[in-house]
Amino acid sequence: MSPPKKRITILGSTGSIGQSSLSVIESLGEDYQLVSAGAHRQWRLLADQARRYHLQKVVITDPKYEKKLKNALVDTDTEVLAGSDHLVDLARDELVDIVVVAVVGAAALPAVLAAAQAGKTLAIANKESLVMAGCLVMPLARQNDATVLPIDSEHSAILQALRAGRRHEVKKVIITCSGGPFLEASSDQIARANLADALNHPTWNMGPKITIDSATLMNKALEIVEARWLFDLDPDQIEVLIHPESIIHSLVEFCDGSVLAQLSPPDMRLPIQFALTYPDRREGPAPLLDLHQIRQLNFQPPDPERFPALRLGFEVARRGGTAGAVLNAANEAAVGAFQEGKISCNQIAELTELSLRKHNSIENPDLPQIMEADRWARREVIDSLKSLPHSAKL
Ligand code: NAD
Ligand code: MG
């Protein structure tokens, strides 16, 4: 008898990771079945996905688009639900084995907690929920036999490299970083960069928020905190290394001096597939590595002067508590302000740091305390924006 199909929901199915996940599921064939999906506003694409994959349920989190989506699917058996609460329903649905979390930002947290509580396999791209509430998500997953598998390429690489040794033999984890579009830029050039400059990533093609995070290196700061929670690391065991080609996705150094790395061309379909097939490996759609072509891999230390966000990642990994929620929420608010042309690129880290400085962290917070820290940090950023001297604004 063939093993039962793995039934999957994708939260954030219309985004970059969501669409790459669909292509991986298609290529995996009949052992894997997409049963439901959720998205925020892109109702047309969500309706196309519902038809193509004969989905049982779809959720549109912005209720403004409920009518349009219902009309588009009126002749199908797909159940249409509207409102963000229903993402939680998809995450704990007994129809589902694997929850792919491809929503951007803090909005994913309730569904992540629900999936962990329901003992699902979480294939999690959404680093923001781990940064803000890794202290709740990971113990909840352990208590309920849920498996948390990273899609983030660096963390997938670490997960793969960790399989080469025992947990107590790990000395440190080295997270690689392309350096983003401003790797060679001066502080002045970064300060003058506009949205198009920040969105011009040299190696990865991703959604807008993570692309901006990659330009400020806030993405790496978030990934330091993400790694701390996912792998239960001491923050002193984490290092960051600039590697512009994005071929080595991260490395693990063991106590005997052996360093294990995971290499592949920069293509998210590979880490997505590894999370779906874990612990097995399958042939897949991601391109193969050709080192004869690449010939050279380069490395350099990160520059904390031009990229102050990095420091914040280490600081928050050490502080723990509600500091993660503040880092994430202040950054989300500041990225929004940058997208709206209200602040310059370098002010994203500045405003985030300002919030962190003012915040009194609560150790071992519960969910209401984390949500309050999130709201507080967003308000702080908005208030700081109002009080910025006019010349400091764009
Ligand atoms: P994206 O902007 O392309 O897609 C975001 C998805 O989230 C969309 O489907 C959108 O409908 C949904 N969404 C947006 N706001 C929402 C809300 N308030 N409630 C519910 N759903 C909402 O983003 P992306 O690049 O696919 O990134 C998704 C997540 O994966 C992020 O957390 C990002 O950090 C992480 N990630 C992405 C990549 C990548 O290559 N794109 C790599 C590593 C990690
Ligand atoms: Mg990453």
Side-chain angles (χ1 to χ4, degrees):
M1 224 177 69
S2 56
K5 279 180 197 268
K6 297 264 194 216
R7 297 159 308 173
I8 303 173
T9 188
I10 304 180
L11 314 180
S13 62
T14 55
S16 166
I17 291 289
Q19 294 189 60
S20 296
S21 302
L22 286 169
S23 84
V24 170
I25 293 167
E26 265 192 40
S27 86
L28 285 171
E30 57 188 23
D31 301 343
Y32 291 80
Q33 185 193 359
L34 185 71
V35 295
S36 58
H40 192 39
R41 292 187 174 138
Q42 287 172 288
W43 63 274
R44 279 198 187 84
L45 183 51
L46 188 59
D48 291 347
Q49 293 173 349
R51 280 180 190 280
R52 181 171 179 139
Y53 301 102
H54 306 289
L55 298 185
Q56 301 184 15
K57 293 176 190 171
V58 287
V59 169
I60 189 93
T61 54
D62 187 337
K64 257 196 304 214
Y65 302 94
E66 176 179 13
K67 250 207 179 120
K68 288 191 159 86
L69 185 59
K70 277 196 167 147
N71 285 340
L73 293 172
V74 72
D75 58 332
T76 69
D77 294 331
T78 305
E79 184 182 354
V80 175
L81 301 158
S84 48
D85 288 352
H86 291 294
L87 272 195
V88 169
D89 297 335
L90 293 192
R92 61 175 168 218
D93 194 339
E94 53 184 34
L95 280 176
V96 163
D97 305 302
I98 304 177
V99 180
V100 176
V101 189
V103 166
V104 61
L109 181 60
V112 167
L113 289 168
Q117 177 123 45
K120 305 293 185 192
T121 295
L122 283 96
I124 183 160
N126 179 279
K127 63 195 84 191
E128 293 91 342
S129 55
L130 291 169
V131 171
M132 63 191 293
C135 58
L136 300 184
V137 173
M138 299 308 290
L140 192 64
R142 273 192 294 275
Q143 282 156 24
N144 294 286
D145 286 328
T147 309
V148 182
L149 299 167
I151 283 180
D152 213 348
S153 56
E154 296 77 1
H155 304 73
S156 175
I158 295 167
L159 177 69
Q160 294 178 58
L162 282 175
R163 288 162 66 79
R166 296 178 206 282
R167 195 58 196 77
H168 69 271
E169 296 163 349
V170 173
K171 193 165 162 207
K172 67 181 181 198
V173 157
I174 303 162
I175 304 178
T176 55
C177 172
S178 72
F182 304 141
L183 178 60
E184 305 297 345
S186 67
S187 297
D188 277 355
Q189 286 169 321
I190 298 172
R192 284 198 308 271
N194 62 25
L195 186 58
D197 299 328
L199 288 174
N200 187 21
H201 198 280
T203 50
W204 291 101
N205 186 5
M206 312 177 283
K209 193 256 177 184
I210 183 175
T211 307
I212 296 167
D213 287 346
S214 302
T216 57
L217 298 206
M218 190 63 82
N219 183 49
K220 222 36 64 176
L222 300 176
E223 290 184 356
I224 291 165
V225 186
E226 180 187 12
R228 182 257 172 276
W229 290 117
L230 275 173
F231 305 113
D232 196 19
L233 294 167
D234 184 323
D236 292 335
Q237 290 180 293
I238 304 174
E239 272 182 18
V240 171
L241 177 68
I242 302 290
H243 165 47
E245 293 87 0
S246 301
I247 297 293
I248 297 182
H249 297 296
S250 280
L251 313 92
V252 175
E253 184 181 316
F254 290 92
C255 55
D256 60 357
S258 269
V259 179
L260 274 286
Q262 187 265 333
L263 289 76
S264 54
D267 187 314
M268 288 307 294
R269 289 174 298 181
L270 180 52
I272 291 168
Q273 177 172 304
F274 188 64
L276 295 179
T277 63
Y278 180 88
D280 300 327
R281 292 184 183 275
R282 295 264 291 260
E283 281 188 21
L288 297 180
L289 181 65
D290 183 354
L291 284 176
H292 291 282
Q293 281 272 324
I294 294 167
R295 298 175 75 100
Q296 266 197 22
L297 298 174
N298 291 284
F299 308 97
Q300 62 189 71
D303 178 356
E305 296 305 317
R306 287 179 305 136
F307 298 104
L310 266 185
R311 200 169 15 89
L312 304 183
F314 283 111
E315 179 189 319
V316 167
R318 290 194 182 98
R319 259 169 83 175
T322 44
V326 171
L327 174 76
N328 180 65
N331 177 58
E332 279 189 31
V335 168
F338 174 63
Q339 284 174 303
E340 290 166 17
K342 292 181 179 158
I343 58 169
S344 56
C345 195
N346 58 332
Q347 286 176 314
I348 297 174
E350 278 174 29
L351 289 174
T352 306
E353 179 158 14
L354 214 60
S355 299
L356 276 171
R357 292 283 156 268
K358 283 197 197 168
H359 179 64
N360 294 318
S361 295
I362 301 172
E363 265 179 64
N364 304 316
D366 56 19
L367 186 58
Q369 288 169 322
I370 285 176
M371 297 314 296
E372 177 48 33
D374 174 285
R375 283 189 293 274
W376 175 85
R378 287 172 204 270
R379 276 197 310 270
E380 269 304 304
V381 170
I382 291 168
D383 290 349
S384 311
L385 277 177
K386 284 184 204 144
S387 57
L388 275 181
H390 190 71
S391 59
K393 297 181 193 174
L394 278 187

